[in-house]
C-alpha cells in the first residue's frame, strides 16, 4: 500500500508510539466499539475511511489486506494500532479468539431468543425411542438437529444431562 509522506505523517500523528510491546493507543476518531478510523485525504479532500488498526498492519507489512481477511488484536484492545499486536486472520479466527478469551456474550440453550426447544424438550428427545424424523416434525426442527441433540454433537445442549 502506497501512502504519501504527508498522509503517513498525519496517520502517525494520531497515536503515540510507546514501547514495542505496549499498546499504541489511537488518539483520533473512534467508533462506538473503540476502533479507530482514519480519513484518507488527497489534496484536502476525503477519499476513503480506513480502520486505523487495519491501516497500521498494511503499512507495517507493506501490503494490502487480502480479501475476506481481518486484522485481529493479540492485545484485545480495539484502539491499539501497534503492528506487533496485530495479526491477519479470518472471521472464524476472530470469533474463536473471542470465545477463548471469554469476551463472547453468547447465550446458549433456551436463553437464546431464537431457541425453539426447552431443557425439558431436550431431556424428552434424548430419552425417546421414536424415530428422529418424527421428533423433528413434532418439535419443528430438522432431523440432523435431533441427531446432534441425541449424540451431544458439538456440545449441543450440554447444560441438560
Amino acid at each position: 500500500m502506497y501512502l504519501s509522506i504527508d498522509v503517513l505523517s498525519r496517520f502517525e500523528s494520531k497515536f503515540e508510539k510507546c514501547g514495542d510491546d505496549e499498546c499504541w493507543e489511537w488518539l483520533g476518531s473512534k467508533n462506538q466499539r473503540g476502533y479507530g478510523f482514519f480519513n484518507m485525504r488527497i489534496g484536502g479532500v476525503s477519499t476513503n475511511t480506513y480502520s486505523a488498526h487495519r491501516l497500521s498492519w498494511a503499512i507495517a507489512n507493506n501490503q494490502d489486506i487480502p480479501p475476506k481477511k481481518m486484522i485481529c488484536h493479540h492485545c484485545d484492545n480495539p484502539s491499539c494500532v501497534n503492528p506487533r499486536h496485530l495479526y491477519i486472520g479470518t472471521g472464524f479466527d476472530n470469533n474463536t479468539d473471542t470465545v477463548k478469551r471469554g469476551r463472547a456474550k453468547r447465550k446458549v440453550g433456551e436463553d437464546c431468543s431464537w431457541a425453539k426447544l426447552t431443557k425439558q424438550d431436550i431431556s424428552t428427545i434424548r430419552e425417546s425411542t421414536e424415530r428422529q424424523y418424527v421428533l423433528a416434525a413434532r418439535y419443528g426442527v430438522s432431523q440432523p438437529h435431533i441427531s446432534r441433540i441425541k449424540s451431544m454433537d458439538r456440545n449441543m445442549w450440554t447444560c441438560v444431562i
Side-chain angles (χ1 to χ4, degrees):
M1 166 176 275
Y2 172 78
L3 296 177
S4 70
I5 299 295
D6 292 343
V7 171
L8 189 56
S9 293
R10 195 167 66 79
F11 177 75
E12 289 181 344
S13 74
K14 303 289 184 181
F15 62 93
E16 185 178 337
K17 284 186 181 177
C18 301
D20 286 346
D21 295 327
E22 295 179 54
C23 287
W24 300 353
E25 293 288 329
W26 182 255
L27 304 172
S29 300
K30 297 178 189 175
N31 67 16
Q32 293 172 334
R33 294 179 10 205
Y35 290 93
F37 57 91
F38 180 76
N39 288 316
M40 191 75 68
R41 293 187 191 140
I42 298 174
V45 178
S46 182
T47 58
N48 278 324
T49 301
Y50 294 90
S51 295
H53 69 288
R54 290 175 60 85
L55 190 54
S56 180
W57 185 92
I59 292 167
N61 291 281
N62 197 29
Q63 65 179 4
D64 291 333
I65 299 165
K68 299 184 181 180
K69 294 293 184 176
M70 303 179 89
I71 301 302
C72 308
H73 289 85
H74 288 296
C75 60
D76 281 342
N77 179 358
S79 62
C80 177
V81 294
N82 183 343
R84 293 178 130 209
H85 292 191
L86 305 173
Y87 67 97
I88 195 163
T90 63
F92 180 80
D93 296 331
N94 198 33
N95 289 336
T96 300
D97 204 33
T98 300
V99 172
K100 280 183 186 174
R101 294 179 186 186
R103 291 183 287 110
K105 296 176 183 167
R106 189 172 164 216
K107 294 185 177 183
V108 296
E110 60 189 78
D111 292 336
C112 289
S113 60
W114 60 87
K116 293 183 178 181
L117 304 170
T118 65
K119 289 179 182 181
Q120 182 57 52
D121 294 336
I122 299 303
S123 294
T124 303
I125 290 167
R126 287 196 179 136
E127 293 168 6
S128 177
T129 58
E130 288 184 273
R131 292 186 156 286
Q132 291 180 5
Y133 73 89
V134 172
L135 292 169
R138 179 179 303 136
Y139 290 100
V141 297
S142 68
Q143 178 276 320
H145 192 72
I146 297 293
S147 177
R148 286 191 298 272
I149 291 168
K150 285 184 155 288
S151 67
M152 306 252 316
D153 185 29
R154 296 188 211 165
N155 297 321
M156 187 175 287
W157 287 90
T158 54
C159 56
V160 181
I161 297 174

